[in-house]
Amino acid sequence: MKVALLGLGLMGLPIAHRLVHCGHELITWNRSKERLKTAQDEGLNVTPSLTEAVTAGEVLILTLSDAGAINQVLFDPSVKPLIRGKTVLQMGTISPDESRDIGASVVDAGGDYLEVPVLGSIPEAKSGELIVMAAGSESAYHQTLLMLRGLGKEVEHLGPVGKGAAVKLAMNQLIASLTAGFSQSLGLIRAEGVEVEQFMGLLRQSALYAPTFDKKLKKFMEHDYSNPNFPLKHLIKDIALFQKVAEASGMNGEVANAILRILRSGQEAGYGDEDYSSLYEAINPGFDAETDTGC
Ligand code: NAP
């Protein structure tokens, strides 16, 4: 299948490599020249011309940061007429309404639209073990199912456009709230000088344990959030989207609001481009390594 992938960021680049590994004919495009050069140096087929990429692909995969970026790229006057007859797979995390609007505009332009937000990050993208939450056009789903199975260990069709985006926001709300909840408990354990391993041993035996706690523990212990797979700034975007959707549906948005405030204070403290688990530092400010007996 001829595929054009637009957006070679943290997720786009490994997904592109995975598509090549699975035997797809791939052309890639990125707005900034630096990322395009990296992709080229890594052996990917790249073009600096957006219209060339869109013309070449039967399937267009969007791995762009947000709905604003998608609208700018896909509905640029030079690109929109080229969408006719193409299948658009939207992989970024956006809201159900944003996805429905983009989907409707794709269909208006004569294309087919499937939203396919994913759970998992760079390692899962590289190994083809993402969780793929497809929703939208059945024909686009069947056309691309084999390709999606190369990217994801779980590929499910969830219904009309918006359902995949909703499930993805629900998942990312859990990323934020589980990490915030664990950060609070771990902060208390360290402040009280309890042995962290003793606490973890008990937690692991309980129904409260989540694997993400151990995945992030080293970062919390070392206060090192560098080389992120998923930066804090993207989680802020996602929780802001969650909060908007939750409040519009009549839900009490206080929990999401509180988490969003914590995340934003982390960004103000300079953690925006660091791993999202740096929210630990916003919850436990004033940490002093000298007195942290829990390490
Ligand atoms: P990223 O590393 O920040 O990459 C963002 C991409 O979007 C870059 O290629 C960037 O191009 C492009 N872009 C942004 N604004 C643009 C514009 N106005 N016009 C053209 N291109 C634009 O983000 P990422 O981590 O790959 O995430 C991409 C999407 O997947 C996001 O919605 C994110 O929430 C979601 N997601 C991420 C992860 C993860 O673990 N990282 C996991 C699942 C889902 P430039 O190089 O020109 O800036």
Side-chain angles (χ1 to χ4, degrees):
M1 193 175 295
K2 287 185 185 163
V3 183
L5 182 139
L6 312 179
L8 289 160
L10 289 170
M11 286 302 272
L13 189 63
I15 288 172
H17 281 294
R18 181 72 192 171
L19 290 167
V20 172
H21 173 83
C22 292
H24 299 290
E25 198 179 318
L26 183 72
I27 184 163
T28 62
W29 170 86
N30 194 75
R31 175 185 61 175
S32 74
K33 300 288 167 280
E34 298 78 16
R35 283 181 160 138
L36 206 60
K37 168 93 171 54
T38 304
Q40 187 171 34
D41 292 346
E42 292 183 8
L44 290 171
N45 180 24
V46 307
T47 174
S49 160
L50 175 58
T51 52
E52 186 190 338
V54 172
T55 304
E58 300 161 58
V59 173
L60 312 179
I61 296 186
L62 311 181
T63 42
L64 299 162
S65 46
D66 55 21
I70 295 167
N71 279 307
Q72 270 185 24
V73 168
L74 213 50
F75 306 120
D76 181 279
S78 67
V79 176
K80 197 172 176 187
L82 305 175
I83 294 174
R84 179 162 297 282
K86 312 275 178 183
T87 297
V88 175
L89 301 189
Q90 194 302 107
M91 289 203 143
T93 306
I94 59 176
S95 77
D97 276 349
E98 288 171 339
S99 190
R100 282 187 278 267
D101 286 349
I102 291 165
S105 300
V106 168
V107 170
D108 265 0
D112 213 358
Y113 181 78
L114 189 70
E115 62 183 12
V116 278
V118 295
L119 188 67
S121 197
I122 298 172
E124 292 79 16
K126 281 183 178 160
S127 60
E129 292 181 303
L130 293 166
I131 293 173
V132 180
M133 293 155 275
S137 160
E138 294 273 350
S139 59
Y141 179 68
H142 292 297
Q143 181 196 4
T144 58
L145 185 54
L146 272 182
M147 184 179 74
L148 292 174
R149 287 203 174 125
L151 298 177
K153 60 174 179 178
E154 296 285 342
V155 181
E156 278 202 46
H157 192 281
L158 298 162
V161 176
K163 303 253 188 223
V167 173
K168 173 61 181 164
L169 286 188
M171 296 284 195
N172 279 26
Q173 188 286 131
L174 281 174
I175 293 178
S177 56
L178 284 173
T179 309
F182 182 55
S183 294
Q184 291 188 81
S185 293
L186 184 63
L188 182 76
I189 291 296
R190 295 172 92 177
E192 287 292 322
V194 179
E195 276 296 321
V196 170
E197 237 345 281
Q198 278 185 330
F199 165 63
M200 290 307 295
L202 294 171
L203 180 59
R204 285 184 198 111
Q205 295 172 50
S206 79
L208 305 173
Y209 177 72
T212 185
F213 300 161
D214 266 311
K215 268 177 105 173
K216 296 298 178 189
L217 184 59
K218 188 165 181 283
K219 291 186 187 299
F220 297 142
M221 299 310 289
E222 295 176 359
H223 303 275
D224 180 0
Y225 308 97
S226 54
N227 301 316
N229 289 340
F230 184 38
L232 186 75
K233 65 182 178 191
H234 281 338
L235 190 58
I236 291 174
K237 160 185 76 79
D238 298 348
I239 301 308
L241 289 175
F242 178 91
Q243 184 227 31
K244 210 169 146 196
V245 177
E247 285 193 346
S249 65
M251 205 183 280
N252 181 329
E254 299 249 343
V255 173
N257 266 328
I259 291 177
L260 195 53
R261 276 198 302 275
I262 286 288
L263 296 173
R264 284 185 172 142
S265 70
Q267 186 171 43
E268 279 157 22
Y271 289 102
D273 290 316
E274 305 273 294
D275 189 81
Y276 71 85
S277 58
S278 57
L279 69 84
Y280 179 92
E281 305 300 325
I283 288 176
N284 300 288
F287 163 82
D288 177 358
E290 298 296 311
T291 57
D292 184 27
T293 53
C295 286

